[in-house]
Amino acid sequence: MKTISRRNYTMWQASWIWAQGEASPRNEWRCFRKTFHYEDEGTAGAETKLKLTADSRYVLYVNGTQVGRGPVRAFPANLPYDEYEIGHLLNGGTANTIAVIVLHYGLATFQYLRGRGGLLLQVDRCDAGGTETLLATDASWQTALHAAYDATSQRISCQLPFTERFDSRGWDEGWKQSGFDASGWSNAEVIGAAGMAPWTTLSPRPIPYLTEEPMYPARVEEMNFVKPVTWSAAFDVRTLLVPESVNHANPISFVGLLAAVVTMAEEGVLTIGSVDNGRIPLRVSLGGKWCAEADYYGEAPQQFVQARLAAGEHLMLLDLNRGSHGHAYHLGLHSDVSFDVRSPLEEGSGSASHGTPEATVPFAVIGPFGFAEHIDHQPEQTIDREPAIYMELKQAATQQQLLDDYRDLVREIDPRLYHTSDVYSQTAWRVVDRPQPMPASLQRAVLPSSDAGIIPLHAELDTEILIDFGRELTGYIAFELDAGEGTIVDFYGFEYMRDGWRQYTYELDNTLRYTCREGRQSYTSLVRRGLRYMAVTVRGASRPVKLFDVKLLQSNFPVSNAGTFQSSDAMLNEIWCISRDTTRMCMEDTFVDCPAYEQTFWVGDARNASLINYYAFGSTEIVERILRLVPESAFQTPLYGDQVPSGWSSAIPNWTFFWVTACLEHYEYTGNAAFARELWPHVRFTLEHYLEKIDERGLLRIKGWNLLDWAAFEQPEDGVVSPQNMFLVKALRDAALLAAAAEDEAEQGKFEDAADRLRSAINAHLWDERRQAYIDCIHVDGSPSSTLSMQTQVVASLCGIADGERAETLKGYIMNPPAAFVQIGSPFMSFFYHEALAKLGLHEVMTKDMLSGYGAMVDKGATTVWEVYPTSNISYNENMLTRSHCHAWSAGPAFFLGSEVLGIRGVTPGWTKVGITPQPSGLTWARGSVPLPGSGRIDVSWQLDEASKIMKLRVAAPASVELDIAGPEGYELAAEVIAIG
């Protein structure tokens, strides 16, 4: 420890540091600390600022106090850094400690491109006399692996990094404080200066810091005595078979096998099962005999199969002839008789008994016999699914035969790609499940009081309590408890249950395992989760666990509920509220599609979320941030990525078209001409690349992920997809308007002309005169779609493709959807349907549709809006009404009820002039508020007098805003206007 003197200041005097060894280690939780002397000179107005960034994520502590988490997701070539004022946390004239834990992923996800481990940190003191650097990362910093975190924890999902398995025994959390004995730590290694690759540009954080609000549960829902499956594990099959796949998040396909030797102590039935197979169907061979398809059972996607086995050894093979995006492969084995599992590379001695940790992985991997990486905007790769050697090897019946004939193909498994006692499997697969009456005192566990809830023990079984937070939340689990050493407490979050049936989060390992030291202790998770319900299971306890406190630190973009809505329809009011709350839950450092499964910024979803946000919260910072991120994906494809920043290089053309529209809408909301000028070249760049794919008919033909809706209309991966062509017309027109805002008149005309040409081609080739509708597509062989869909007719109307009689025909379809047409399959598509209805003045049809689709969610207990409607039939099983129960793309009512029912819409850029045109929409009264860009809001309330056909309207708005007020057709308007300011 030493006092650091004043020296000349440059932006970054700090160096990037890491530890010796692997540059990009898998799932590494690494601690850094530095103690320094701080003199508080008491200068008025002085600030002590700490700025830092890290790869992949950090949590910062100053003298033991958590200061912040970060950095925000970004492409590594433009990495943001965070800055905190920390003077109030420092002790003058004594030792102070800065501590940082850095979680380095070591693989690509849907919000992170693989870089390398690194930490950059600097503390500056700023006053009127200048700036001095007090502290900077260099080789004098100390570092150590955080030994409590298990690096073998598996993937949360293909979109996200790793689950937490934390063993509090033998690790001193005092490492964050001064006075900690770090003599066993190593010195950090300087790996480069600020500006080094891959972080060639460092930029200030572009958005405010997220919230952390303590949210307590509503109640303990259930208590059960349970027993988990006998043996369980999770594998990273993707990395096992294709190690280089850690460098990207693209889907891959492969051919391979897992192998183990199961030794039965006596004859008995062995059950092999997967409660989450990571999209690789469970296929099992025992002793050379593959289980018949008809023998598998279980509620999809869970799969189980049973076999009666004699005493002794049995070679088990698991077929991995499939593909993976990065989900973990969860496997369980159960029998009422004792059995062992070992790798076929091991002899009989030293085998791993079920329920005990093993020194070596009790499985081996065979293959791959071929693999392919799939990128939708690049030529397709294919593999031979039945290579001869693979087909031969599948017939192996014994360990001896396997090793004699195929030894060179059988490989050990890296222990980092496997973990045993899988929390997800142990939670979802219980061989004993005994519901118990709820002790009233147990409810204390969810109350912020000094009394603990006592979790009862059973002599032979584990105890599970099920906590209900009352509504969907997203953030960080935190708890305080008292327990005996070695007690295991498992946490598992999920979103939905109904009448005792739980919807497990398939393809989402939403778990945390905490192993207790002796006594009272607390923990706050470092991993963000979305959930409503949380199963807490106590295993191996020597005495009852006292749960003093359990909560979730709700974390989202910092917005207030500036927008409001109420009306004469209570259901519509509830729909508005859950739509608003969904949007908030999906506002992190970007908009995300959902807080549980993915936490991914999907570009197309975010256009709609941006509009909803304007009306519910009025935030412009988050929208500008996400719009600027999109062009940074140009190095992956000039078509721009459909989710960014991401290791999955994928393009959905419609998503890019929606981004163009969102850029224009952001300019229209904010009036920020500088933004329009800066984004316009990027808009032009990508649309010019799309225009290169116009074919000889004048239509957009593109091979790729040509998605619009989760519905069974024809939207092939190659060919001319009609809604896509129509949305391109709108994107070209919106681009022309953005060009005008950027004062690029020449390009404005070029894009207007391109839109006109494409519209003409659509009407020439995609209208079916016989069927009097726009077809859904033209296949690559020239054949038209057999389906006609509401999706295509809605988009044609919304994008102004039809006119005259065709437009009237479409209006009839939109008012009364023909039963023979493919119907809308998601609330995301309903957003465009509701836009089309509003454009046609069919507001009452719009609200009735909302009440039907969204009302069904409310009736089934929704507190946020779902990814699909409960009637969609696209889920795994009949009980599963939707996958995600909190999905931002579904929250459209929070926009439309403000823009149409209240009738508040901007007329000029920056909303210096605002139109107020309320639409009754089947209601008798409504009131609410819409935030204005920058500051202020507009309050509107109206009430109908049907007897006199008068609408009484009250509007309160800033005096600086020009209002254009008009009443609905058929009503006389009696308006009161209050000017504020």
Side-chain angles (χ1 to χ4, degrees):
M1 183 184 74
K2 66 176 182 178
T3 301
I4 301 176
S5 61
R6 181 182 293 266
R7 59 190 183 211
N8 293 331
Y9 173 75
T10 58
M11 179 61 181
W12 285 104
Q13 294 189 17
S15 298
W16 280 99
I17 60 172
W18 195 242
Q20 293 184 358
E22 192 175 353
S24 181
R26 176 188 175 93
N27 192 20
E28 183 157 296
W29 306 71
R30 177 160 290 280
C31 301
F32 296 88
R33 69 189 309 273
K34 177 71 174 179
T35 298
F36 69 107
H37 195 84
Y38 174 74
E39 291 293 346
D40 185 359
E41 300 175 3
T43 306
E47 294 182 310
T48 302
K49 294 185 176 181
L50 183 154
K51 58 178 180 282
L52 83 161
T53 191
D55 190 329
S56 307
R57 299 291 185 264
Y58 74 80
V59 181
L60 167 69
Y61 305 90
V62 175
N63 289 329
T65 298
Q66 180 181 314
V67 176
R69 308 174 191 252
V72 297
R73 73 186 75 193
F75 290 95
N78 186 18
L79 183 66
Y81 63 86
D82 296 332
E83 188 169 57
Y84 305 95
E85 214 298 313
I86 63 167
H88 62 293
L89 298 173
L90 298 176
N91 302 311
T94 187
N96 293 268
T97 297
I98 307 294
V100 185
I101 182 168
V102 178
L103 167 56
H104 181 72
Y105 299 161
L107 49 70
T109 72
F110 285 21
Q111 53 178 255
Y112 169 78
L113 282 78
R114 190 183 188 196
R116 61 147 300 156
L119 171 67
L120 182 74
L121 181 150
Q122 186 165 306
V123 179
D124 295 322
R125 182 174 176 82
C126 311
D127 57 31
T131 301
E132 66 174 324
T133 297
L134 304 179
L135 187 68
T137 44
D138 57 23
S140 69
W141 280 62
Q142 295 173 298
T143 185
L145 280 176
H146 196 306
Y149 286 101
D150 183 352
T152 73
S153 67
Q154 292 299 303
R155 295 288 296 275
I156 298 171
S157 67
C158 68
Q159 296 89 355
L160 296 167
F162 299 95
T163 60
E164 285 166 287
R165 289 166 68 105
F166 186 94
D167 189 338
S168 65
R169 299 170 295 180
W171 177 259
D172 186 354
E173 281 296 299
W175 72 275
K176 306 165 190 174
Q177 303 275 5
S178 297
F180 173 76
D181 180 7
S183 57
W185 290 35
S186 302
N187 280 2
E189 183 176 74
V190 171
I191 59 175
M196 68 173 286
W199 319 288
T200 50
T201 299
L202 298 174
S203 55
R205 181 186 179 98
I207 56 171
Y209 295 99
L210 306 188
T211 66
E212 289 197 20
E213 313 161 52
M215 306 297 291
Y216 286 88
R219 66 172 181 165
V220 180
E221 179 80 14
E222 295 177 3
M223 186 180 79
N224 306 289
F225 291 137
V226 298
K227 182 179 181 180
V229 58
T230 309
W231 181 96
S232 60
F235 301 81
D236 183 349
V237 169
R238 172 189 169 96
T239 308
L240 277 174
L241 289 174
V242 190
E244 59 267 37
S245 66
V246 296
N247 294 317
H248 62 80
N250 299 317
I252 58 174
S253 54
F254 41 68
V255 180
L257 299 159
L258 287 175
V261 176
V262 177
T263 303
M264 303 291 289
E266 58 185 283
E267 181 182 346
V269 174
L270 179 71
T271 302
I272 305 101
S274 177
V275 289
D276 190 352
N277 57 34
R279 302 184 186 179
I280 303 173
L282 182 68
R283 295 295 179 265
V284 182
S285 167
L286 290 161
K289 181 180 179 180
W290 288 90
C291 298
E293 290 290 327
D295 293 339
Y296 293 89
Y297 64 94
E299 183 181 74
Q302 296 185 355
Q303 291 179 292
F304 305 93
V305 69
Q306 291 184 333
R308 177 168 289 279
L309 301 178
E313 296 183 354
H314 304 269
L315 177 67
M316 180 170 67
L317 299 178
L318 301 173
D319 193 356
L320 305 178
N321 191 337
R322 195 70 173 190
S324 176
H325 222 146
H327 305 95
Y329 181 80
H330 300 265
L331 182 69
L333 305 174
H334 180 74
S335 181
D336 291 334
V337 304
S338 179
F339 64 90
D340 293 333
V341 187
R342 74 172 191 273
S343 167
L345 295 172
E346 296 288 332
E347 298 297 330
S349 59
S351 61
S353 176
H354 61 74
T356 63
E358 50 273 342
T360 59
V361 178
F363 273 76
V365 64
I366 309 172
F369 301 101
F371 69 90
E373 179 183 351
H374 306 286
I375 302 176
D376 49 47
H377 54 85
Q378 294 182 10
E380 180 65 10
Q381 299 179 19
T382 60
I383 60 172
D384 181 359
R385 286 292 186 184
E386 296 184 346
I389 186 66
Y390 157 76
M391 299 301 291
E392 291 174 12
L393 199 150
K394 286 181 67 177
Q395 307 311 311
T398 66
Q399 176 188 16
Q400 191 68 43
Q401 180 188 359
L402 179 69
L403 297 182
D404 286 350
D405 297 344
Y406 307 103
R407 176 63 183 83
D408 291 345
L409 299 175
V410 184
R411 297 185 288 115
E412 293 182 350
I413 289 176
D414 184 336
R416 294 176 299 176
L417 306 181
Y418 158 93
H419 77 233
T420 189
S421 301
D422 173 43
V423 180
Y424 185 93
S425 294
Q426 291 187 340
T427 303
W429 184 355
R430 293 101 79 89
V431 297
V432 176
D433 190 348
R434 298 180 187 169
Q436 300 297 309
M438 176 70 64
S441 61
L442 191 53
Q443 299 293 349
R444 295 172 185 161
V446 300
L447 301 174
S449 72
S450 299
D451 293 318
I454 310 298
I455 301 178
L457 291 188
H458 187 283
E460 299 175 350
L461 303 175
D462 301 332
T463 306
E464 177 200 75
I465 64 171
L466 182 61
I467 291 171
D468 180 7
F469 279 88
R471 61 189 179 95
E472 184 91 16
L473 297 172
T474 177
Y476 305 95
I477 296 170
F479 56 86
E480 184 177 1
L481 53 79
D482 183 282
E485 182 173 354
T487 300
I488 292 173
V489 186
D490 287 340
F491 297 81
Y492 169 61
F494 61 100
E495 294 185 298
Y496 188 72
M497 65 181 296
R498 191 76 170 174
D499 299 329
W501 178 83
R502 299 183 190 183
Q503 182 174 323
Y504 288 107
T505 53
Y506 304 116
E507 300 174 12
L508 172 70
D509 188 344
N510 213 16
T511 64
L512 182 159
R513 168 159 287 181
Y514 181 86
T515 303
C516 302
R517 60 184 181 274
E518 180 62 40
R520 190 156 173 166
Q521 54 210 282
S522 61
Y523 181 75
T524 299
S525 169
L526 303 188
V527 174
R528 171 186 287 274
R529 293 174 177 83
L531 53 87
R532 172 177 172 174
Y533 298 95
M534 188 164 66
V536 182
T537 308
V538 175
R539 310 187 195 275
S542 57
R543 56 184 174 85
V545 171
K546 298 178 181 179
L547 188 55
F548 288 93
D549 184 62
V550 60
K551 56 182 176 284
L552 190 132
L553 302 179
Q554 168 64 39
S555 176
N556 55 253
F557 194 87
V559 289
S560 64
N561 292 334
T564 61
F565 178 83
Q566 288 182 300
S567 74
S568 56
D569 191 304
M571 177 62 82
L572 208 58
N573 299 342
E574 182 66 15
I575 290 169
W576 185 92
C577 285
I578 65 174
S579 297
R580 176 202 62 195
D581 292 348
T582 300
T583 305
R584 180 192 287 274
M585 293 302 103
C586 296
M587 293 172 72
E588 298 176 11
D589 54 353
T590 62
F591 291 110
V592 299
D593 62 331
C594 54
Y597 284 87
E598 299 191 23
Q599 302 174 29
T600 299
F601 165 37
W602 286 94
V603 173
D605 306 27
R607 176 264 170 168
N608 296 359
S610 296
L611 290 177
I612 298 160
N613 151 73
Y614 295 147
Y615 276 72
F617 310 117
S619 173
T620 59
E621 294 161 302
I622 189 172
V623 178
E624 184 166 333
R625 200 270 160 139
I626 60 110
L627 296 178
R628 289 183 182 278
L629 269 176
V630 175
E632 293 187 43
S633 66
F635 73 95
Q636 294 172 315
T637 170
L639 307 178
Y640 291 168
D642 50 33
Q643 16 81 59
V644 296
S646 176
W648 181 14
S649 179
S650 174
I652 302 175
N654 280 329
W655 270 223
T656 302
F657 303 157
F658 299 156
W659 170 77
V660 172
T661 295
C663 287
L664 175 65
E665 289 168 339
H666 187 65
Y667 163 70
E668 291 174 336
Y669 184 67
T670 63
N672 186 344
F675 170 84
R677 288 191 295 271
E678 291 167 19
L679 269 290
W680 163 239
H682 303 293
V683 169
R684 183 183 65 221
F685 169 83
T686 193
L687 288 180
E688 285 174 345
H689 281 84
Y690 277 101
L691 289 173
E692 291 175 359
K693 299 183 182 297
I694 298 293
D695 69 10
E696 67 281 357
R697 294 164 295 193
L699 297 171
L700 175 70
R701 176 188 166 180
I702 189 168
K703 186 179 186 299
W705 190 3
N706 297 328
L707 174 71
L708 176 60
D709 187 22
W710 301 131
F713 75 103
E714 292 171 55
Q715 43 187 350
E717 294 183 357
D718 197 0
V720 174
V721 180
S722 299
Q724 198 157 272
N725 275 261
M726 296 164 180
F727 272 126
L728 179 54
V729 171
K730 185 177 190 316
L732 292 168
R733 296 204 187 285
D734 289 345
L737 293 172
L738 197 67
E743 300 177 337
D744 190 343
E745 295 180 3
E747 293 296 315
Q748 177 186 359
K750 185 178 85 172
F751 280 91
E752 287 172 345
D753 291 344
D756 290 341
R757 289 193 301 271
L758 180 55
R759 178 178 180 270
S760 296
I762 291 170
N763 280 305
H765 298 286
L766 299 179
W767 174 261
D768 187 321
E769 188 64 29
R770 179 180 62 84
R771 293 191 284 179
Q772 285 292 292
Y774 288 98
I775 60 176
D776 291 332
C777 74
I778 300 175
H779 293 283
V780 291
D781 63 2
S783 63
S785 62
S786 59
T787 58
L788 296 176
S789 70
M790 284 302 299
Q791 286 81 356
T792 297
Q793 316 318 312
V794 164
V795 176
S797 178
L798 177 62
C799 296
I801 304 302
D803 54 20
E805 292 183 3
R806 289 184 186 179
E808 286 302 310
T809 299
L810 294 187
K811 183 176 181 180
Y813 297 153
I814 290 171
M815 290 179 64
N816 297 291
F821 285 14
V822 175
Q823 301 300 302
I824 287 171
S826 68
F828 178 64
M829 186 63 218
S830 291
F831 194 102
F832 305 110
Y833 178 47
H834 296 158
E835 276 192 290
L837 288 169
K839 183 179 177 182
L840 294 169
L842 301 173
H843 298 93
E844 190 165 350
V845 179
M846 179 189 74
T847 53
K848 285 182 178 178
D849 187 70
M850 287 180 186
L851 289 165
S852 173
Y854 288 85
M857 300 181 200
V858 174
D859 288 343
K860 295 183 183 299
T863 63
T864 45
V865 291
W866 300 355
E867 181 176 9
V868 297
Y869 292 120
T871 55
S872 67
N873 297 320
I874 67 167
S875 298
Y876 283 118
N877 59 67
E878 62 181 10
N879 292 318
M880 190 172 170
L881 303 175
T882 180
R883 181 189 70 147
S884 167
H885 286 261
C886 182
H887 224 76
W889 80 354
S890 300
F895 167 68
F896 289 106
L897 296 177
S899 65
E900 305 305 324
V901 174
L902 298 181
I904 304 172
R905 279 189 173 269
V907 176
T908 57
W911 284 32
T912 55
K913 182 178 181 179
V914 175
I916 309 293
T917 55
Q919 301 297 331
S921 310
L923 304 171
T924 59
W925 63 266
R927 60 174 173 263
S929 303
V930 171
L932 290 165
S935 63
R937 68 172 192 262
I938 293 180
D939 299 333
V940 168
S941 62
W942 58 260
Q943 186 169 2
L944 297 182
D945 185 334
E946 288 292 349
S948 60
K949 290 294 181 180
I950 294 174
M951 172 181 275
K952 296 179 181 178
L953 174 69
R954 180 184 184 275
V955 180
S960 59
V961 176
E962 180 183 353
L963 299 178
D964 183 5
I965 300 175
E969 185 177 351
Y971 291 86
E972 181 183 345
L973 186 65
E976 176 189 9
V977 178
I978 293 92
I980 299 173

